[in-house]
Amino acid sequence: MATLNLRRFSKPEMLRKIDRSHLITFFEPYTEYLSGRGIELPLAAAENGLDYTVMSNVLLNPNTSTPPEMSEALYYINEMSTPEGFDLIQEAIADTEIDVSISEDAAYGDLALQVWVQDRNIIERLHAEQFLFRPRSFEYFKCTRETIPDFEEPSEETIAALEADLDEWFAKKRRGRASKVFIYVKEDFVWFLVRHGEPFARESIIKDGESKSLFYRPEKYDVIVYNPENGEIRMNARSKGEKELYRTKFGLHLFGDSEFFDGKSKFTLEPLRESGSASILCDDIEGIDWVRLKEFQIFRGGTHKEIEIRKAEDIFASLEERDRSIPNGGRLSKASFQIKFADSKTPRTVTLSSGNRAQFKRDDDAEVLEKWLIRRGFVISGSEDNGE
């Protein structure tokens, strides 16, 4: 779990904004621990008796006897005690039997705390979902089959089996056995969020005027997105080993074949050389106003692994002014485009690498962007794929 951060619960005035009866109900399972720290919980119906200052101090200074489940609960409640979290929680419980009581002056944490007590899975899921749209770099892997099978949402048993396989790998890599897979079925894509641990970390801290060490396991989220239309998966993960893990295990547990996603190349940048400025036309793509090529790299290789880089505000305009074109020879390995999407006043940068990597600012650009890439020939078809 990420380093415990209880800032929103560290000040008495913040605790007072949470309905005291809800607060007491939350802490009742930890009565023995709190008593040992000098806090005697009053009855939920009592009008007074809760010392907010002492409670704040206890929460601010957890010790070795602090119940892990209480710390975990406070971590998630704290993370969702924001204006955005407040709205997300209300939407999530709108059609459920979750019963909450929120006054006009209630703090954000009041809602998060009540829902956690009744169904912690809702808070955990909403917290995880915030990480879905943060990734900036995806690698793509194609399906090897001629006919793409219909996607069926995996059962709890299938997800549990997938998590068990992931845990085996993470445990061997000293990351612990704590993976959890969340699934979000969207209109055009199926999103999977994998929460797992990282190797233990140590940090030096000052406590009671002395230097001490904090030892903890950081938390990491990886994103995997499946396109049911073409059987393609894209993923945001840190290491080559993690990507290979997801490629094989998601194929195995979702489709019964560890090589369902074969990992072959997806992108080629040769249209830039072959078609020139025509390669970035976008009049036929709804959702894109214009595209400019800002940078390209040519891998020359040789003994010294030479890479040639060209940059300009508009490369094709610059080349045309000098009656030149992109040089022949060498492999076009990377290109950056400035793209004006119709839904934004400010253009955004999209970077492609020959192979299977794409970087873009917002993941909801993916659908319209991929249509443009396919029509301009940047996506390698199955018949053209040479396994580069």
Coordinates of all heavy atoms in Angstrom, one line a residue, residues 267-331:
F267 N 3.1 -0.4 -35.6 CA 3.3 0.9 -36.3 C 4.5 0.9 -37.3 O 5.5 0.2 -37.0 CB 3.5 2.0 -35.3 CG 2.4 2.2 -34.3 CD1 2.6 2.1 -33.0 CD2 1.1 2.5 -34.7 CE1 1.6 2.2 -32.0 CE2 0.0 2.6 -33.8 CZ 0.3 2.5 -32.5
T268 N 4.3 1.6 -38.4 CA 5.4 1.9 -39.3 C 5.3 3.4 -39.6 O 4.2 4.0 -39.7 CB 5.3 1.1 -40.6 OG1 6.3 1.5 -41.4 CG2 3.9 1.3 -41.3
L269 N 6.5 4.0 -39.7 CA 6.5 5.4 -40.0 C 6.9 5.7 -41.4 O 7.1 6.9 -41.8 CB 7.6 6.1 -39.0 CG 7.2 6.0 -37.6 CD1 8.3 6.6 -36.7 CD2 5.9 6.8 -37.3
E270 N 7.0 4.7 -42.2 CA 7.4 4.8 -43.6 C 6.5 5.7 -44.5 O 6.9 6.3 -45.4 CB 7.6 3.5 -44.3 CG 8.9 2.8 -44.0 CD 10.1 3.7 -44.3 OE1 10.2 4.2 -45.4 OE2 10.9 3.8 -43.4
P271 N 5.2 5.8 -44.2 CA 4.3 6.7 -44.9 C 4.8 8.2 -44.9 O 4.6 8.9 -45.9 CB 2.9 6.6 -44.2 CG 2.9 5.2 -43.7 CD 4.3 5.0 -43.2
L272 N 5.5 8.6 -43.9 CA 6.1 9.9 -43.8 C 7.1 10.1 -45.0 O 7.1 11.2 -45.6 CB 6.8 10.2 -42.5 CG 6.0 10.2 -41.2 CD1 6.9 10.3 -40.0 CD2 4.9 11.3 -41.3
R273 N 7.8 9.1 -45.3 CA 8.8 9.1 -46.3 C 8.2 8.9 -47.7 O 8.5 9.6 -48.7 CB 9.9 8.1 -46.1 CG 11.1 8.1 -47.0 CD 12.1 7.0 -46.5 NE 13.0 7.5 -45.5 CZ 13.6 6.8 -44.6 NH1 13.3 5.5 -44.5 NH2 14.5 7.3 -43.8
E274 N 7.2 8.0 -47.8 CA 6.6 7.6 -49.0 C 5.6 8.6 -49.6 O 5.5 8.9 -50.8 CB 6.0 6.2 -48.9 CG 7.0 5.1 -48.6 CD 6.3 3.8 -48.2 OE1 5.0 3.9 -48.0 OE2 6.9 2.8 -47.9
S275 N 4.8 9.2 -48.6 CA 3.7 10.1 -49.1 C 4.0 11.5 -48.7 O 3.2 12.4 -49.1 CB 2.4 9.6 -48.4 OG 2.1 8.3 -48.7
G276 N 5.0 11.8 -48.0 CA 5.3 13.2 -47.6 C 4.1 13.9 -46.8 O 3.5 13.2 -46.0
S277 N 3.8 15.1 -47.2 CA 2.7 15.8 -46.4 C 1.4 15.2 -46.5 O 0.5 15.4 -45.7 CB 2.7 17.3 -46.9 OG 2.4 17.3 -48.3
A278 N 1.1 14.4 -47.6 CA -0.1 13.7 -47.7 C -0.4 12.7 -46.6 O -1.5 12.3 -46.3 CB -0.2 13.0 -49.1
S279 N 0.7 12.2 -46.0 CA 0.6 11.2 -44.9 C 0.0 11.8 -43.6 O -0.4 11.0 -42.8 CB 2.0 10.7 -44.5 OG 2.8 11.7 -44.0
I280 N -0.2 13.1 -43.5 CA -0.8 13.7 -42.3 C -2.1 14.4 -42.6 O -2.6 15.1 -41.7 CB 0.2 14.6 -41.6 CG1 0.6 15.8 -42.5 CG2 1.5 13.9 -41.1 CD1 1.4 16.9 -41.8
L281 N -2.7 14.1 -43.8 CA -4.0 14.7 -44.1 C -5.0 14.1 -43.1 O -4.9 12.9 -42.7 CB -4.4 14.4 -45.5 CG -3.6 15.0 -46.6 CD1 -4.1 14.5 -48.0 CD2 -3.6 16.5 -46.5
C282 N -6.0 14.9 -42.7 CA -7.0 14.4 -41.8 C -8.4 14.9 -42.1 O -9.3 14.8 -41.2 CB -6.6 14.9 -40.4 SG -6.5 16.7 -40.2
D283 N -8.7 15.4 -43.3 CA -10.0 15.9 -43.6 C -11.1 14.8 -43.5 O -12.2 15.2 -43.3 CB -10.0 16.5 -45.1 CG -9.1 17.7 -45.2 OD1 -8.7 18.3 -44.2 OD2 -8.7 18.0 -46.4
D284 N -10.7 13.6 -43.7 CA -11.7 12.5 -43.6 C -11.9 11.9 -42.2 O -12.5 10.9 -42.1 CB -11.2 11.4 -44.6 CG -9.8 10.9 -44.3 OD1 -9.1 11.6 -43.6 OD2 -9.5 9.7 -44.7
I285 N -11.2 12.5 -41.2 CA -11.3 12.0 -39.9 C -12.1 13.0 -39.0 O -11.7 14.1 -38.7 CB -9.9 11.8 -39.2 CG1 -9.1 10.9 -40.1 CG2 -10.1 11.2 -37.8 CD1 -9.6 9.5 -40.3
E286 N -13.3 12.6 -38.6 CA -14.1 13.4 -37.7 C -13.5 13.4 -36.3 O -13.2 12.4 -35.7 CB -15.5 12.8 -37.6 CG -16.5 13.7 -36.7 CD -17.9 13.1 -36.7 OE1 -18.2 12.1 -37.4 OE2 -18.7 13.7 -35.9
G287 N -13.2 14.6 -35.8 CA -12.6 14.8 -34.5 C -11.2 15.3 -34.5 O -10.7 15.7 -33.5
I288 N -10.6 15.4 -35.7 CA -9.3 16.0 -35.9 C -9.4 17.2 -36.8 O -9.9 17.0 -38.0 CB -8.3 15.0 -36.4 CG1 -8.1 13.9 -35.3 CG2 -6.9 15.7 -36.6 CD1 -7.1 12.8 -35.8
D289 N -8.9 18.4 -36.4 CA -8.9 19.6 -37.3 C -7.7 19.7 -38.1 O -7.8 20.0 -39.3 CB -9.0 20.8 -36.4 CG -10.4 20.9 -35.7 OD1 -11.3 20.3 -36.2 OD2 -10.5 21.6 -34.7
W290 N -6.5 19.4 -37.6 CA -5.3 19.4 -38.4 C -4.2 18.7 -37.7 O -4.2 18.4 -36.5 CB -4.8 20.9 -38.7 CG -4.7 21.8 -37.5 CD1 -5.7 22.8 -37.2 CD2 -3.6 22.0 -36.6 NE1 -5.2 23.5 -36.1 CE2 -4.0 23.0 -35.7 CE3 -2.4 21.3 -36.4 CZ2 -3.2 23.4 -34.7 CZ3 -1.6 21.7 -35.4 CH2 -1.9 22.8 -34.5
V291 N -3.2 18.3 -38.4 CA -2.0 17.6 -37.9 C -0.7 18.2 -38.5 O -0.7 18.5 -39.7 CB -2.0 16.1 -38.3 CG1 -0.8 15.3 -37.8 CG2 -3.3 15.4 -37.8
R292 N 0.3 18.3 -37.7 CA 1.6 18.8 -38.1 C 2.7 17.8 -37.6 O 2.6 17.4 -36.5 CB 1.9 20.2 -37.6 CG 1.0 21.3 -38.2 CD 1.3 22.6 -37.5 NE 0.4 23.7 -38.0 CZ 0.0 24.7 -37.3 NH1 0.6 24.9 -36.1 NH2 -0.8 25.6 -37.8
L293 N 3.6 17.6 -38.4 CA 4.8 16.8 -38.0 C 5.8 17.7 -37.4 O 6.3 18.7 -38.0 CB 5.4 16.1 -39.2 CG 6.7 15.2 -39.0 CD1 6.3 14.1 -38.0 CD2 7.3 14.7 -40.3
K294 N 6.1 17.4 -36.1 CA 7.0 18.3 -35.4 C 8.5 17.7 -35.2 O 9.4 18.5 -35.1 CB 6.5 18.5 -33.9 CG 5.1 19.1 -33.9 CD 5.2 20.6 -34.0 CE 5.8 21.2 -32.7 NZ 5.9 22.7 -32.7
E295 N 8.6 16.4 -35.3 CA 9.9 15.8 -35.1 C 9.9 14.4 -35.7 O 8.9 13.7 -35.7 CB 10.3 15.8 -33.6 CG 11.6 15.1 -33.3 CD 11.9 15.0 -31.8 OE1 11.3 15.8 -31.0 OE2 12.6 14.1 -31.4
F296 N 11.1 14.0 -36.2 CA 11.3 12.6 -36.6 C 12.7 12.2 -36.3 O 13.6 13.0 -36.2 CB 10.9 12.3 -38.0 CG 11.8 13.0 -39.1 CD1 13.0 12.4 -39.4 CD2 11.4 14.2 -39.7 CE1 13.8 13.0 -40.4 CE2 12.2 14.8 -40.6 CZ 13.4 14.2 -41.0
Q297 N 12.9 10.9 -36.1 CA 14.2 10.3 -35.8 C 14.5 9.2 -36.8 O 13.6 8.4 -37.1 CB 14.3 9.8 -34.4 CG 14.1 10.8 -33.3 CD 14.3 10.3 -31.9 OE1 14.8 9.2 -31.7 NE2 14.0 11.0 -30.9
I298 N 15.7 9.2 -37.3 CA 16.1 8.1 -38.2 C 17.3 7.4 -37.5 O 18.3 8.0 -37.1 CB 16.6 8.7 -39.6 CG1 15.5 9.4 -40.3 CG2 17.2 7.6 -40.4 CD1 15.9 10.1 -41.6
F299 N 17.1 6.1 -37.4 CA 18.2 5.3 -36.8 C 19.1 4.9 -37.9 O 18.8 4.1 -38.8 CB 17.5 4.1 -36.1 CG 18.6 3.2 -35.5 CD1 19.2 3.5 -34.3 CD2 18.9 1.9 -36.1 CE1 20.1 2.7 -33.7 CE2 19.8 1.1 -35.5 CZ 20.5 1.5 -34.3
R300 N 20.3 5.4 -37.8 CA 21.3 5.1 -38.8 C 22.2 3.9 -38.5 O 22.8 3.2 -39.4 CB 22.3 6.3 -39.0 CG 21.6 7.6 -39.5 CD 21.2 7.5 -40.9 NE 20.6 8.7 -41.4 CZ 20.1 8.9 -42.7 NH1 20.1 7.8 -43.5 NH2 19.6 10.0 -43.1
G301 N 22.2 3.6 -37.2 CA 23.0 2.4 -36.8 C 24.5 2.6 -36.8 O 25.0 3.6 -36.5
G302 N 25.1 1.5 -37.3 CA 26.6 1.6 -37.3 C 27.2 1.3 -36.0 O 26.6 1.0 -35.0
T303 N 28.5 1.4 -36.0 CA 29.3 1.1 -34.8 C 28.9 1.9 -33.6 O 28.9 1.4 -32.5 CB 30.8 1.3 -35.1 OG1 31.2 0.5 -36.2 CG2 31.6 0.9 -33.8
H304 N 28.5 3.2 -33.9 CA 28.2 4.1 -32.8 C 26.7 4.3 -32.6 O 26.3 5.2 -31.9 CB 28.9 5.4 -33.0 CG 30.4 5.3 -33.2 ND1 31.2 5.0 -32.1 CD2 31.2 5.4 -34.3 CE1 32.5 4.9 -32.5 NE2 32.5 5.2 -33.8
K305 N 25.9 3.5 -33.2 CA 24.4 3.5 -33.0 C 23.9 5.0 -33.3 O 23.2 5.6 -32.4 CB 24.0 3.1 -31.6 CG 24.6 1.8 -31.1 CD 24.1 0.6 -32.0 CE 24.6 -0.7 -31.5 NZ 24.2 -1.8 -32.4
E306 N 24.2 5.5 -34.4 CA 23.8 6.9 -34.7 C 22.3 7.1 -34.9 O 21.7 6.3 -35.6 CB 24.6 7.3 -36.0 CG 24.2 8.7 -36.4 CD 24.9 9.1 -37.8 OE1 25.6 8.3 -38.3 OE2 24.6 10.2 -38.3
I307 N 21.8 8.1 -34.4 CA 20.4 8.5 -34.5 C 20.4 10.0 -35.0 O 21.0 10.9 -34.4 CB 19.6 8.4 -33.2 CG1 19.6 7.0 -32.7 CG2 18.2 9.0 -33.4 CD1 18.9 6.8 -31.4
E308 N 19.7 10.2 -36.1 CA 19.5 11.5 -36.7 C 18.2 12.1 -36.3 O 17.1 11.4 -36.5 CB 19.6 11.5 -38.2 CG 19.5 12.8 -38.9 CD 19.5 12.6 -40.4 OE1 20.1 11.6 -40.9 OE2 19.0 13.5 -41.1
I309 N 18.2 13.3 -35.7 CA 16.9 13.9 -35.2 C 16.7 15.2 -36.0 O 17.6 16.1 -36.1 CB 17.0 14.1 -33.7 CG1 17.2 12.8 -33.0 CG2 15.7 14.8 -33.2 CD1 17.4 13.0 -31.5
R310 N 15.5 15.4 -36.5 CA 15.1 16.7 -37.1 C 13.8 17.2 -36.4 O 12.9 16.5 -36.1 CB 14.7 16.4 -38.6 CG 15.9 15.9 -39.4 CD 16.9 16.9 -39.8 NE 17.9 16.4 -40.7 CZ 17.9 16.4 -42.0 NH1 16.8 16.9 -42.6 NH2 18.9 15.9 -42.7
K311 N 13.9 18.5 -36.1 CA 12.8 19.2 -35.4 C 12.4 20.5 -36.1 O 13.3 21.2 -36.7 CB 13.1 19.5 -34.0 CG 13.4 18.3 -33.1 CD 13.7 18.8 -31.7 CE 14.0 17.6 -30.7 NZ 14.2 18.1 -29.3
A312 N 11.1 20.8 -36.1 CA 10.7 22.1 -36.6 C 9.2 22.3 -36.2 O 8.5 21.4 -35.7 CB 10.7 22.1 -38.2
E313 N 8.7 23.6 -36.3 CA 7.3 23.8 -35.9 C 6.4 23.1 -36.9 O 5.3 22.6 -36.5 CB 7.1 25.3 -36.0 CG 7.7 26.1 -34.9 CD 7.2 25.7 -33.5 OE1 6.0 25.6 -33.4 OE2 8.0 25.5 -32.6
D314 N 6.8 23.0 -38.1 CA 6.1 22.2 -39.1 C 7.1 21.7 -40.1 O 7.6 22.4 -41.0 CB 5.1 23.2 -39.9 CG 4.2 22.4 -40.8 OD1 4.6 21.3 -41.3 OD2 3.1 22.9 -41.1
I315 N 7.5 20.4 -39.9 CA 8.6 19.9 -40.7 C 8.3 19.8 -42.2 O 9.1 20.2 -43.0 CB 8.9 18.5 -40.2 CG1 9.7 18.6 -38.9 CG2 9.8 17.7 -41.2 CD1 10.1 17.2 -38.3
F316 N 7.1 19.4 -42.6 CA 6.8 19.3 -44.0 C 6.8 20.7 -44.7 O 7.3 20.9 -45.8 CB 5.5 18.6 -44.3 CG 5.6 17.1 -44.1 CD1 4.8 16.4 -43.3 CD2 6.5 16.4 -44.9 CE1 4.9 15.0 -43.2 CE2 6.6 15.0 -44.8 CZ 5.8 14.3 -43.9
A317 N 6.3 21.7 -44.0 CA 6.3 23.1 -44.5 C 7.8 23.5 -44.7 O 8.1 24.2 -45.7 CB 5.5 24.0 -43.6
S318 N 8.6 23.2 -43.7 CA 10.0 23.6 -43.8 C 10.7 22.9 -45.0 O 11.5 23.5 -45.7 CB 10.7 23.2 -42.5 OG 12.1 23.5 -42.5
L319 N 10.4 21.6 -45.1 CA 11.0 20.8 -46.2 C 10.6 21.4 -47.6 O 11.4 21.5 -48.5 CB 10.7 19.4 -46.1 CG 11.3 18.6 -44.9 CD1 10.8 17.2 -44.8 CD2 12.9 18.5 -45.0
E320 N 9.3 21.7 -47.7 CA 8.8 22.2 -49.0 C 9.4 23.5 -49.4 O 9.7 23.8 -50.5 CB 7.3 22.3 -48.9 CG 6.6 20.9 -48.9 CD 5.1 21.0 -48.6 OE1 4.6 22.1 -48.6 OE2 4.5 19.9 -48.5
E321 N 9.7 24.4 -48.4 CA 10.3 25.7 -48.6 C 11.7 25.5 -49.3 O 12.1 26.3 -50.1 CB 10.4 26.5 -47.3 CG 9.2 27.1 -46.9 CD 9.4 28.0 -45.6 OE1 10.5 28.0 -45.1 OE2 8.4 28.6 -45.1
R322 N 12.4 24.4 -48.9 CA 13.7 24.2 -49.4 C 13.7 23.1 -50.5 O 14.8 22.6 -50.9 CB 14.6 23.8 -48.2 CG 14.8 24.9 -47.2 CD 15.7 24.5 -46.0 NE 15.0 23.5 -45.1 CZ 15.5 22.3 -44.8 NH1 16.6 21.9 -45.4 NH2 14.8 21.5 -44.0
D323 N 12.5 22.7 -51.0 CA 12.4 21.7 -52.0 C 13.1 20.4 -51.7 O 13.9 19.9 -52.5 CB 12.9 22.3 -53.3 CG 12.4 21.4 -54.5 OD1 11.4 20.8 -54.4 OD2 13.1 21.4 -55.6
R324 N 12.9 20.0 -50.4 CA 13.5 18.8 -49.9 C 12.4 17.8 -49.4 O 11.3 18.2 -49.3 CB 14.5 19.1 -48.9 CG 15.7 20.0 -49.4 CD 16.7 20.3 -48.3 NE 17.4 19.1 -47.8 CZ 18.3 19.1 -46.9 NH1 18.6 20.3 -46.3 NH2 18.9 18.0 -46.6
S325 N 12.9 16.6 -49.0 CA 12.0 15.6 -48.5 C 12.7 14.9 -47.4 O 13.9 15.1 -47.1 CB 11.5 14.7 -49.5 OG 12.6 14.0 -50.1
I326 N 12.0 14.0 -46.7 CA 12.7 13.3 -45.6 C 13.7 12.4 -46.2 O 13.5 11.7 -47.2 CB 11.6 12.4 -44.8 CG1 10.7 13.3 -44.1 CG2 12.3 11.4 -43.9 CD1 9.6 12.6 -43.3
P327 N 14.9 12.4 -45.7 CA 16.1 11.6 -46.3 C 15.8 10.1 -46.4 O 15.1 9.5 -45.6 CB 17.2 11.9 -45.3 CG 16.8 13.1 -44.6 CD 15.3 13.1 -44.5
N328 N 16.3 9.6 -47.5 CA 16.2 8.1 -47.6 C 17.4 7.5 -46.8 O 18.3 8.1 -46.4 CB 16.4 7.7 -49.1 CG 15.2 8.1 -49.9 OD1 14.1 8.0 -49.5 ND2 15.5 8.6 -51.1
G329 N 17.2 6.2 -46.6 CA 18.3 5.5 -45.8 C 18.0 5.5 -44.3 O 17.5 6.5 -43.8
G330 N 18.3 4.5 -43.6 CA 18.0 4.4 -42.2 C 16.6 4.1 -41.9 O 15.7 4.3 -42.8
R331 N 16.3 3.7 -40.7 CA 14.9 3.4 -40.3 C 14.3 4.5 -39.6 O 14.9 5.0 -38.6 CB 14.9 2.1 -39.4 CG 13.6 1.8 -38.9 CD 13.6 0.4 -38.2 NE 14.6 0.4 -37.1 CZ 14.3 0.7 -35.8 NH1 13.1 1.1 -35.5 NH2 15.2 0.6 -34.9

